[in-house]
Amino acid sequence: MNPLLVITVISSYFILLMVISHFTSKSDDNLTFFTANRQSPWYLVAFGMIGASLSGVTFISIPGEVGNTAFSYFQVVLGYLVGYFVIATVLLPLYYRLNLISIYTYLQQRFGNFSYKTGAFFFLLSRIVGSAFRLFLVAGVLQIAIFDSFEWPFSVTVAVTIALIWLYTFRGGIKTIVWTDTLQTLFMISAVVISIYLAKDSLDMSWTSLTERVSSSGYSKIFVWDWQSGQNFFKQFISGAFIAIVMTGLDQDMMQKNLTCRSLRDAQKNMFWFCIVLVIVNFLFLSMGALLYIYAEQMQIAIPTRTDDLYPMLALGHFPAIAGVVFLLGIVAAAYSSADSALTALTTSFCVDFLGLGQDDKPISKKVRIRVHIGFSIILFLVILVFKAINDESVITAVFKAAGYTYGPILGLFAFGLVTKYSLRDKLVPIVCFLSPILSYIININSEAWFNGYKFGFEILVVNGVLTFIGLFLLKVKNENYRAL
């Protein structure tokens, strides 16, 4: 694509984000930054959370993965529904009742300071690595599409990528994010719908014949019952439920949006409609993936070795120019909708959980908040450059997957707090929480040898949480004054 066209499209996109930021950050204070004054319309939060849930990795990977595992990912999506039900009926009422800014404050009230800091630390670690990985991908796309033609170094691309996020979030924070996420979700879904339409048009198919072609292809298979397969239905379904609970319900990034709703009832309505839209959008992604493979086969286009490259290759090199434009808007929107809210959540968590701002009548300093925001922007910049220096996709992907192990201790801590009445030997909690991911990793890489060919999928998260729970049980102390929070 013409680099000037790419620059024009992306510049227009970010100018629109800046305009939204201007109008949403007029009351530039810390309450707005952290909680949006708890005045966000629930329907905006519900729609915008779709974009935050589906990152740039998902935008590219789900369509490409259809070639390997067909529609089996939809089993995970069905599991999400159970997880979101738990969030709406158990976690959201707890968070609203305690009037939390950071959800990890619950751990302090329930167990003590060490447990609290441990949970917050694992969130920070996971979000830094995960967000850096997603921004690394989008920076790579921008480098190829724009900056290579100007011979700009990758570090400049990364700096521009992060600076753009900082510019439209540093004032309005989560209030701005709620509105920009809505716009970004719209762009992302539009990119998928337009891509499906263009592929259908190129194949000269009607919608009816297209549906029949996809459903009759081997790509549309959803359910897998082989117990040794990583795509087994029960593994995927149960994993999906726990992934939703942990990566939404126990994640400051996602919950901070929910906690901007006017009331618990609004937040629960948000979660209900979010579930419905998320299922539809994921099915669209999978359908587009099947269609891309059908298109490549019919046009005799070689499938790339990396399935993640299929969608970008077709959109930028084989479809009409409009497809390239919407693809770039889609992937930028997908990457930024998760990265911008992550930067705000990192700032919130560090200010509240580690600096104690907003607690014990300690005022929230605007200057400190801005410095923290800048600090995390710099950290993300440096981590992305480390990924580039490694320059080994398998290693980078392994690092990203390893970050997922950090959610297990958070799951174990919250589960222990919610289902038991025990207190803990608080100072020993960090030891358990650091050992559990290590043990989970060892079990995962040896599972086929140890468990008669059993291969873990996403359910390793559950194993991690269970190990944490068992470790915490060994640290239990009877609590005579227990009162459910």
Side-chain angles (χ1 to χ4, degrees):
M1 290 183 67
N2 188 319
L4 291 178
L5 173 62
V6 177
I7 290 174
T8 301
V9 170
I10 294 179
S11 297
S12 301
Y13 173 76
F14 279 104
I15 288 172
L16 184 56
L17 292 183
M18 298 297 180
V19 170
I20 293 174
S21 175
H22 171 74
F23 286 105
T24 56
S25 59
K26 286 187 175 180
S27 57
D28 179 20
D29 58 35
N30 286 305
L31 193 61
T32 299
F33 186 94
F34 293 135
T35 68
N37 305 106
R38 303 203 190 277
Q39 292 297 312
S40 298
W42 65 266
Y43 45 86
L44 282 182
V45 178
F47 190 68
M49 280 177 62
I50 300 296
S53 299
L54 301 172
S55 66
V57 180
T58 306
F59 186 79
I60 293 175
S61 294
I62 286 182
E65 186 60 21
V66 168
N68 297 323
T69 58
F71 277 25
S72 63
Y73 177 73
F74 199 69
Q75 299 172 124
V76 178
V77 177
L78 295 176
Y80 287 166
L81 301 180
V82 176
Y84 293 136
F85 177 79
V86 173
I87 293 169
T89 57
V90 178
L91 294 176
L92 280 176
L94 174 69
Y95 298 153
Y96 269 87
R97 186 166 66 250
L98 298 178
N99 195 29
L100 302 180
I101 295 176
S102 167
I103 63 173
Y104 307 113
T105 311
Y106 163 76
L107 297 175
Q108 182 184 43
Q109 298 180 33
R110 181 67 177 83
F111 299 124
N113 212 41
F114 283 90
S115 301
Y116 169 42
K117 303 295 184 186
T118 301
F121 169 80
F122 276 108
F123 163 73
L124 292 178
L125 177 62
S126 181
R127 269 303 172 188
I128 287 170
V129 175
S131 298
F133 182 80
R134 294 179 179 99
L135 285 173
F136 171 73
L137 293 181
V138 77
V141 172
L142 294 177
Q143 183 73 27
I144 295 170
I146 303 175
F147 296 110
D148 274 347
S149 60
F150 297 102
E151 298 183 352
W152 285 17
F154 184 74
S155 58
V156 174
T157 306
V158 176
V160 170
T161 301
I162 294 177
L164 288 169
I165 295 177
W166 192 87
L167 284 173
Y168 71 82
T169 61
F170 85 98
R171 291 180 62 195
I174 195 64
K175 184 177 181 182
T176 298
I177 294 301
V178 167
W179 286 89
T180 56
D181 272 4
T182 302
L183 176 71
Q184 290 165 331
T185 300
L186 179 62
F187 275 118
M188 185 172 61
I189 295 175
S190 298
V192 175
V193 172
I194 292 171
S195 295
I196 290 174
Y197 175 80
L198 292 172
K200 177 198 77 72
D201 199 46
S202 298
L203 293 171
D204 195 25
M205 289 184 177
S206 67
W207 287 110
T208 301
S209 61
L210 178 67
T211 303
E212 291 174 352
R213 180 72 181 274
V214 171
S215 60
S216 63
S217 71
Y219 298 120
S220 61
K221 180 182 177 182
I222 295 177
F223 300 105
V224 178
W225 304 108
D226 177 9
W227 75 275
Q228 289 186 326
S229 170
Q231 280 72 50
N232 173 269
F233 170 77
F234 296 104
K235 294 181 188 179
Q236 298 280 71
F237 184 83
I238 294 170
S239 299
F242 280 95
I243 287 170
I245 292 170
V246 173
M247 295 190 177
T248 299
L250 304 182
D251 185 282
Q252 175 65 25
D253 183 3
M254 298 299 289
M255 280 296 96
Q256 193 167 354
K257 299 181 182 70
N258 282 272
L259 295 176
T260 67
C261 293
R262 295 184 176 95
S263 65
L264 171 61
R265 182 176 175 79
D266 275 1
Q268 290 173 323
K269 282 193 293 185
N270 148 56
M271 190 58 63
F272 173 77
W273 287 104
F274 164 68
C275 287
I276 293 175
V277 177
L278 185 68
V279 169
I280 295 171
V281 170
N282 273 285
F283 195 80
L284 274 177
F285 269 100
L286 291 167
S287 300
M288 182 182 71
L291 182 56
L292 293 178
Y293 277 97
I294 291 170
Y295 175 88
E297 290 166 4
Q298 187 158 323
M299 296 297 178
Q300 297 183 332
I301 299 170
I303 304 295
T305 304
R306 288 182 70 253
T307 56
D308 285 2
D309 293 336
L310 178 64
Y311 185 22
M313 179 190 73
L314 295 179
L316 298 173
H318 295 273
F319 290 169
I322 183 63
V325 171
V326 298
F327 168 77
L328 285 173
L329 282 174
I331 189 172
V332 170
Y336 274 82
S337 63
S338 58
D340 56 12
S341 59
L343 183 57
T344 300
L346 288 168
T347 301
T348 301
S349 179
F350 191 81
C351 286
V352 175
D353 299 327
F354 289 92
L355 300 183
L357 304 185
Q359 299 185 46
D360 301 323
D361 298 323
K362 192 174 183 179
I364 302 176
S365 166
K366 180 179 175 181
K367 287 184 179 179
V368 171
R369 183 253 293 173
I370 291 176
R371 287 172 185 167
V372 171
H373 206 54
I374 294 172
F376 276 111
S377 300
I378 294 171
I379 290 171
L380 288 176
F381 173 78
L382 294 175
V383 174
I384 293 171
L385 292 187
V386 169
F387 284 162
K388 177 65 175 177
I390 293 172
N391 200 27
D392 184 329
E393 184 180 311
S394 61
V395 173
I396 295 170
T397 304
V399 171
F400 177 59
K401 288 181 178 178
Y405 282 91
T406 60
Y407 282 102
I410 299 174
L411 173 62
L413 280 166
F414 272 84
F416 196 87
L418 291 169
V419 304
T420 78
K421 298 181 180 181
Y422 295 112
S423 291
L424 293 171
R425 296 182 179 89
D426 188 43
K427 290 184 179 181
L428 299 179
V429 166
I431 298 174
V432 169
C433 291
F434 277 95
L435 286 177
S436 295
I438 296 172
L439 291 175
S440 300
Y441 179 75
I442 293 172
I443 291 171
N444 189 34
I445 62 176
N446 292 287
S447 64
E448 292 184 78
W450 291 354
F451 305 117
N452 195 28
Y454 185 90
K455 189 175 181 180
F456 281 103
F458 294 131
E459 74 274 15
I460 194 65
L461 169 66
V462 182
V463 174
N464 196 352
V466 169
L467 288 174
T468 303
F469 190 98
I470 293 170
L472 295 177
F473 189 79
L474 298 176
L475 303 180
K476 71 182 186 301
V477 176
K478 192 171 183 179
N479 188 354
E480 300 289 351
N481 300 314
Y482 172 79
R483 179 178 61 85
L485 296 176

